[in-house]
Amino acid sequence: TGTKIVSLDIKDQNGKVTAVTENGETITADNAVISGGAWTNSILESAGLPKLNLKIWQVQWAHYEVDPEVAASIPQAFHFRKENDIDGGLYYVFPASASESVQADGKSFVKVGVDFPTGDALNEMVEFDYSGSEDVFKLMDGWVQEHIPSVGKRIDSYCHPYTMTEDSYFVMDMVSDNVALFSGGSGRAFKFGPLIGDCMSS
């Protein structure tokens, strides 16, 4: 884990799958699953396989400070409003009970994010900006002040990739006799994690 694969041979002379890491380590297996998220097409290219029609969204979220006695009253919620310029219109809040790993100085925190891309969709992760757009974070700050004013200041900020298919459906298939692929999580694959893992392993 945590090691970059730099090449993938889907059928070596012994009929096995061979991967080489950036440290020069060779990993050999009878079968493999490609589940590289936003890096899927880079992996497919290294294996000499056709690329998929995938786009990468830059999607932003953050944690906001809230007093523990107020936190219990904040539910999980989604808000749809009219799109306007860079504002894609879909906001969400996850309650403090879903953000228990983020605590400090007796405060609780809620997660607030948007479910629309920052800027244009990308083709490769080399173009990705993990800092996100401060203008989008300001939209989130304004949304918080308007709809959950009991929530305090933003304490952090994140921008993560969504791997999007054209129709937002998952891609699950065999790309060779001994290599299966999952991609196109479209920002919601985590909701189906156990089922996807079971499908791919079989």
Side-chain angles (χ1 to χ4, degrees):
T1 58
T3 302
K4 182 179 179 181
I5 299 294
V6 295
S7 70
L8 183 67
D9 185 348
I10 62 172
K11 187 167 288 187
D12 66 14
Q13 58 185 358
N14 298 312
K16 296 183 179 294
V17 180
T18 302
V20 178
T21 73
E22 60 184 346
N23 299 325
E25 179 184 4
T26 299
I27 303 170
T28 302
D30 293 326
N31 302 285
V33 174
I34 296 175
S35 184
W39 292 268
T40 295
N41 277 334
S42 296
I43 298 170
L44 291 173
E45 185 176 31
S46 74
L49 293 167
K51 292 183 179 182
L52 302 180
N53 182 18
L54 299 173
K55 295 294 183 181
I56 301 166
W57 282 13
Q58 301 178 105
V59 182
Q60 298 181 217
W61 57 277
H63 289 103
Y64 289 78
E65 186 177 83
V66 60
D67 290 331
E69 60 269 24
V70 176
S73 68
I74 298 175
Q76 177 173 326
F78 296 85
H79 179 213
F80 296 82
R81 68 184 187 186
K82 188 175 181 180
E83 298 179 16
N84 181 27
D85 194 22
I86 66 169
D87 185 349
L90 175 51
Y91 294 74
Y92 66 84
V93 56
F94 286 170
S97 58
S99 303
E100 292 174 340
S101 61
V102 185
Q103 294 187 357
D105 300 326
K107 295 286 187 179
S108 295
F109 302 92
V110 294
K111 177 183 176 181
V112 174
V114 299
D115 202 9
F116 55 81
T118 295
D120 295 330
L122 308 177
N123 294 311
E124 302 287 346
M125 280 302 292
V126 294
E127 308 169 58
F128 197 90
D129 180 5
Y130 283 95
S131 62
S133 163
E134 188 57 32
D135 289 336
V136 173
F137 287 123
K138 288 178 179 177
L139 284 174
M140 290 164 50
D141 294 343
W143 183 86
V144 167
Q145 291 170 13
E146 180 180 357
H147 296 282
I148 39 178
S150 56
V151 170
K153 65 182 180 180
R154 171 162 45 98
I155 65 160
D156 55 22
S157 55
Y158 300 91
C159 184
H160 284 170
Y162 278 17
T163 311
M164 305 297 296
T165 56
E166 193 170 15
D167 56 10
S168 296
Y169 289 159
F170 302 153
V171 178
M172 303 173 69
D173 206 349
M174 299 296 296
V175 293
S176 74
D177 293 341
N178 53 353
V179 178
L181 177 141
F182 173 83
S183 191
S186 300
R188 53 195 171 87
F190 70 96
K191 301 176 184 179
F192 305 92
L195 176 62
I196 291 170
D198 185 59
C199 291
M200 298 309 297
S201 65
S202 59

